Every structure is written in C-alpha cells, then in structure tokens.
Amino acid sequence: MSATTHALTAMIASRICHDLISPLGAISNGVELLQLTMAPPVPPELQLIADSIRSANARVLFLRLAFGVAGEGQSMGQGELAALVRGWTEGGRLQIDWQPGPPCSRLRARRACLALLCLEAALPQGGEIRVRDDGGLWHLRARGRRVALPPALWEMLTEPQCSVELSPGRIQFALLRGDLLEGDGLATGKISEDEIVLNLP
C-alpha cells in the first residue's frame, strides 16, 4: 500500500466515522427523551436500543482512531485511550488489561488500536490482551484458548518482504504495516498455539 493510498484510506475512514457519529448521537438523545417521559421501570426493549446505541457509538469512536487520520503533533492521554478501548470491547469476548503509561502521540495511539484489531482477529474464541507502553514501545501480550493467525498475516507485521491477499476483515494488518514502515520499523514478537507477543513503536 503506497503512502498516498494509505493517507486516502485514513481520510475516508475519518469521514465515514464523522458522518455516523452525528445520527447516532441524535438517536441516543431521542431514546433518552423517551425514557424521561416514561414511568419506571424502562421497558426492556427500549433499554436494549439504548445499550445498542451506546455500544455502536463506542465502536465508531474507537474505529475512527484506529482507521482515521492521525494529525502530526496531536497527542492523547492514556486514560482517554483506555476508555475508548474499554468501550470497544464492552460486552464482547475480549478482555483488555490496559496498564497506565505516559501520554502518547495520536499516531502511536492509532498503531496500538490497529494492533488490538489484529490480535482480536487472531483470537476467534476471545481471550485477554495486556497492553503496556514504556514511552517508546508498545508491548502487547494476547492469550486465548486458541490462536488462529495465518503465517502470512504475522509476516505482514514482522517481515520486510511479504505477499498476501487480504479480505476486508483483515485490512488492519495492511494499515498497521504501512504505519510501521513509515515510522521506526516493523514489529517484533513471537506466536504460539495460545499466545501472541507483539512489540511495536
């Protein structure tokens, strides 16, 4: 993926997420108004809609960071980043142990989110991912009952030369590879039947 294509992909993702957030917010406000006009308890159907909207909004915010534009000079605190990640995984089969660290650039935050999406794809039965940032290097350790990651996808993150045809559900591997090649180099780590260790700048 060329640098131009990479940048266009990020701009398209940012635009789509931006256009989705506004109607989701409007629907959420409408549901809240309905809840205020009803005597308690809130009907389970309405609560289900409210929970689904909250989950969708959290996922869009996370995906905007992972796939969207990361402007130069922009930074974010680890608390804000951890909250986005928790919203993305809420109610799912993936548990995230996000260990506190220093503020980081938005570009490094995007790399961490893309790495989480890659590890999620490798854990079809769910699992736990521990994330630590030492201020210059992300350390991610994923564990699950089963790790299913084709060698070609692993090589996209760790090897200078690789060739693989990607499905839309695996585009995060190409985007993370592009970010790493434009930065300080590819990832390092190891993979086994029940664990993946991934280190990236």
Side-chain angles (χ1 to χ4, degrees):
M1 181 180 292
S2 69
T4 300
T5 302
H6 195 178
L8 286 173
T9 301
M11 286 189 283
I12 291 170
S14 291
R15 177 57 189 267
I16 291 173
C17 289
H18 178 271
D19 288 351
L20 285 173
I21 287 172
S22 181
L24 282 173
I27 296 171
S28 179
N29 291 337
V31 170
E32 288 182 7
L33 289 174
L34 283 174
Q35 290 175 327
L36 290 174
T37 62
M38 293 180 175
V42 175
E45 298 85 356
L46 191 58
Q47 188 60 52
L48 178 61
I49 294 172
D51 292 343
S52 297
I53 293 170
R54 184 173 62 252
S55 176
N57 192 61
R59 288 189 65 83
V60 169
L61 290 173
F62 174 82
L63 294 174
R64 181 173 65 175
L65 177 58
F67 293 117
V69 175
E72 292 185 10
Q74 294 181 338
S75 64
M76 61 189 310
Q78 294 272 349
E80 179 186 1
L81 184 51
L84 284 176
V85 172
R86 283 195 298 270
W88 166 61
T89 59
E90 185 177 1
R93 294 180 295 179
L94 201 61
Q95 301 296 319
I96 305 294
D97 177 11
W98 192 284
Q99 301 183 358
C104 66
S105 69
R106 195 171 181 88
L107 176 58
R108 291 194 65 243
R110 182 173 74 180
R111 290 175 186 166
C113 292
L114 286 170
L116 286 173
L117 287 167
C118 292
L119 294 175
E120 178 199 30
L123 298 172
Q125 297 180 4
E128 180 182 1
I129 303 176
R130 178 177 297 175
V131 184
R132 178 172 59 86
D133 178 18
D134 65 10
L137 195 67
W138 291 110
H139 303 277
L140 298 95
R141 182 183 298 271
R143 292 179 176 175
R145 285 183 291 178
R146 185 168 72 93
V147 170
L149 185 63
L153 291 179
W154 176 252
E155 290 171 2
M156 287 200 74
L157 305 181
T158 60
E159 299 296 330
Q161 301 295 328
C162 71
S163 177
V164 59
E165 290 189 11
L166 291 173
S167 66
R170 298 292 183 265
I171 190 63
Q172 62 268 32
F173 288 89
L175 294 175
L176 180 55
R177 177 181 175 84
D179 265 7
L180 294 173
L181 287 174
E182 291 176 9
D184 298 323
L186 292 170
T188 61
K190 61 181 181 179
I191 184 171
S192 65
E193 292 183 354
D194 61 357
E195 182 180 73
I196 300 176
V197 175
L198 194 62
N199 306 306
L200 60 148

